[in-house]
Amino acid sequence: KLRVLSGIQPTGDSFHLGNYLGAVRQWVALQDTHETYYCVVDLHAITVEQDPKVLRHRTRLSAAQLLALGVDPDRSALFVQSHVPEHAQLGWVLECQTGFGEASRMTQFKDKASKQGTDRASVGLFTYPVLQAADILLYQANAVPVGEDQRQHLELTRDLAQRFNKRLGKTFTVPEPYIVKGTAKIYDLQDPTSKMSKSASTGNGLIELLEDPKRSAKKIRSAVTDTGREVVFDAENKAGVANLLTIYSALTSRTIAELEAAYEGKGYGDLKKDLAEVLVDFVTPFQAQVQSYMDDVAELDKVLARGAERAREVASRTLAAAYDRIGFLPPS
Ligand code: AQP
């Protein structure tokens, strides 16, 4: 079986619709065909300041959300990144193989650092994509399901794998991004030309899966559209409507063409009202499930411990091989 690895940060109070449709939905589907490794990337989360208590809570909450969205711990290794020390260990090795200029070209770093100011942005934020490369390469992943915003980081991962293999002998599988075109980028409801994002979206542009469903419904109903009437998918001229159709289609498995046909002769109001209902029907049982996982933290922690054990079996083998290639003396 081919391998898959992906991760999500335990930041924010909830996953948002972009995280789910862009990434986690694919994680769930890939369990049927691939050997899957999924992690809550707490090492990545601390690249910006975190309150320790909140971080601990959100790490569990992220795992609970993944389980509620359909990650099956019997089929996938579901774990917390810091429970597998090999991530940080391989991260260091790869940092030493990464050019400073190469890392400086990462647009996500540039965006985030410019918002924080270069003095406040951490060195960890700068090396974030290299740690991400370690996450992926440790599992010899063939495919990495992510949203469009991660494409450049995946490219860096591939470069690092190829460089290491060439210099020191074949050690890592060179992974492919797995980016599903239709839902690769979910847009902010108030600004449908920028991506829905925890850190950058305004409250009304962001649908958080754990917020009050009534609030989500209201946000959908007040989503920015255009002055037209016709419900057709036109990403260029009708970005807001196109975004709503993308979300609607993904949540119902009705194709965009079917939706266009169903809303012929109706207006944006009908589309929004119906999508709001679809969303409420999706998040209501999800929230109940998350709550039930959070009610049994001991069991949740056991699931994560089991996942980390499975992950370490693979990760430790890869790290040992990489250390050997580098020329580290094995401990006797
Ligand atoms: N708007 C989006 N559309 C499609 N996919 C998205 N992803 C994030 N936003 C969208 C994908 O979600 C996965 C998890 O990403 P992450 O842990 O890096 O989440 P994040 O960075 O905290 O999410 P944000 O909202 O993008 O945070 P900020 O604002 O901090 O950058 C990834 O596969 C990502 O592609």
Side-chain angles (χ1 to χ4, degrees):
K1 267 193 185 177
L2 294 178
R3 292 238 180 95
V4 161
L5 174 288
S6 199
I8 189 157
Q9 297 194 69
T11 49
D13 293 325
S14 166
F15 293 169
H16 60 74
L17 208 48
N19 296 142
Y20 174 57
L21 297 179
V24 179
R25 206 164 71 110
Q26 280 64 258
W27 298 17
V28 173
L30 285 164
Q31 296 178 120
D32 296 338
T33 47
H34 289 66
E35 189 181 319
T36 43
Y37 294 82
Y38 297 131
C39 54
V40 178
V41 291
D42 53 352
L43 299 179
H44 286 283
I46 64 161
T47 55
V48 297
E49 198 177 327
Q50 302 291 338
D51 176 284
K53 254 206 221 101
V54 175
L55 178 62
R56 205 165 289 130
H57 170 70
R58 285 176 174 172
T59 300
R60 287 198 178 105
L61 192 60
S62 297
Q65 290 177 86
L66 290 174
L67 292 166
L69 290 172
V71 170
D72 172 1
D74 290 329
R75 290 189 291 162
S76 294
L78 173 64
F79 63 99
V80 175
Q81 187 187 25
S82 65
H83 292 177
V84 181
E86 286 81 358
H87 288 250
Q89 292 173 294
L90 184 64
W92 175 255
V93 170
L94 295 178
E95 278 176 34
C96 297
Q97 313 278 319
T98 308
F100 185 83
E102 189 176 30
S104 308
R105 284 193 288 276
M106 295 296 115
T107 56
Q108 195 176 77
F109 170 74
K110 286 197 269 187
D111 289 350
K112 292 193 174 176
S114 72
K115 265 181 222 150
Q116 291 179 22
T118 21
D119 275 344
R120 292 197 55 211
S122 71
V123 175
L125 189 67
F126 182 65
T127 57
Y128 181 119
V130 187
L131 179 61
Q132 187 176 335
D135 300 340
I136 297 164
L137 300 182
L138 271 179
Y139 299 92
Q140 308 289 357
N142 305 91
V144 185
V146 285
E148 182 61 42
D149 57 330
Q150 292 299 324
R151 191 182 285 280
Q152 194 189 30
H153 291 170
L154 252 294
E155 207 40 60
L156 175 70
T157 302
R158 289 170 54 83
D159 289 346
L160 290 176
Q162 278 159 348
R163 185 176 309 156
F164 193 103
N165 288 347
K166 198 159 157 241
R167 280 190 191 156
L168 296 158
K170 170 107 184 67
T171 310
F172 300 120
T173 301
V174 181
E176 298 282 343
Y178 183 90
I179 300 177
V180 172
K181 219 168 160 219
T183 52
K185 193 166 178 183
I186 300 298
Y187 294 89
D188 185 302
L189 296 182
Q190 289 298 316
D191 174 12
T193 54
S194 56
K195 80 160 189 166
M196 186 179 285
S197 145
K198 263 176 257 174
S199 60
S201 288
T202 57
N204 285 338
L206 177 72
I207 299 281
E208 293 190 299
L209 302 184
L210 289 175
E211 72 190 356
D212 180 355
K214 284 198 212 93
R215 202 169 130 79
S216 300
K218 209 165 149 202
K219 290 181 192 175
I220 296 272
R221 287 195 304 265
S222 54
V224 165
T225 41
D226 51 85
T227 51
R229 289 208 40 139
E230 244 186 303
V231 178
V232 288
F233 188 93
D234 176 351
E236 222 160 273
N237 302 307
K238 290 168 167 279
V241 173
N243 192 37
L244 294 177
L245 283 170
T246 299
I247 295 169
Y248 200 150
S249 168
L251 289 177
T252 56
S253 308
R254 291 167 76 183
T255 64
I256 301 271
E258 278 165 25
L259 291 171
E260 283 173 336
Y263 286 92
E264 211 183 311
K266 298 184 185 174
Y268 297 163
D270 290 310
L271 173 75
K272 290 178 179 175
K273 191 169 130 288
D274 294 348
L275 176 56
E277 267 174 41
V278 164
L279 187 75
V280 170
D281 289 347
F282 175 75
V283 294
T284 305
F286 162 77
Q287 293 185 359
Q289 258 186 307
V290 170
Q291 189 53 53
S292 76
Y293 286 118
M294 291 303 282
D295 286 342
D296 193 352
V297 168
E299 180 56 33
L300 186 63
D301 288 355
K302 256 193 241 161
V303 166
L304 294 172
R306 205 156 34 96
E309 209 177 301
R310 279 169 64 186
R312 279 201 85 175
E313 276 173 35
V314 180
S316 61
R317 272 202 303 273
T318 307
L319 183 74
Y323 270 19
D324 182 56
R325 299 279 198 214
I326 288 279
F328 287 163
L329 183 67
S332 53

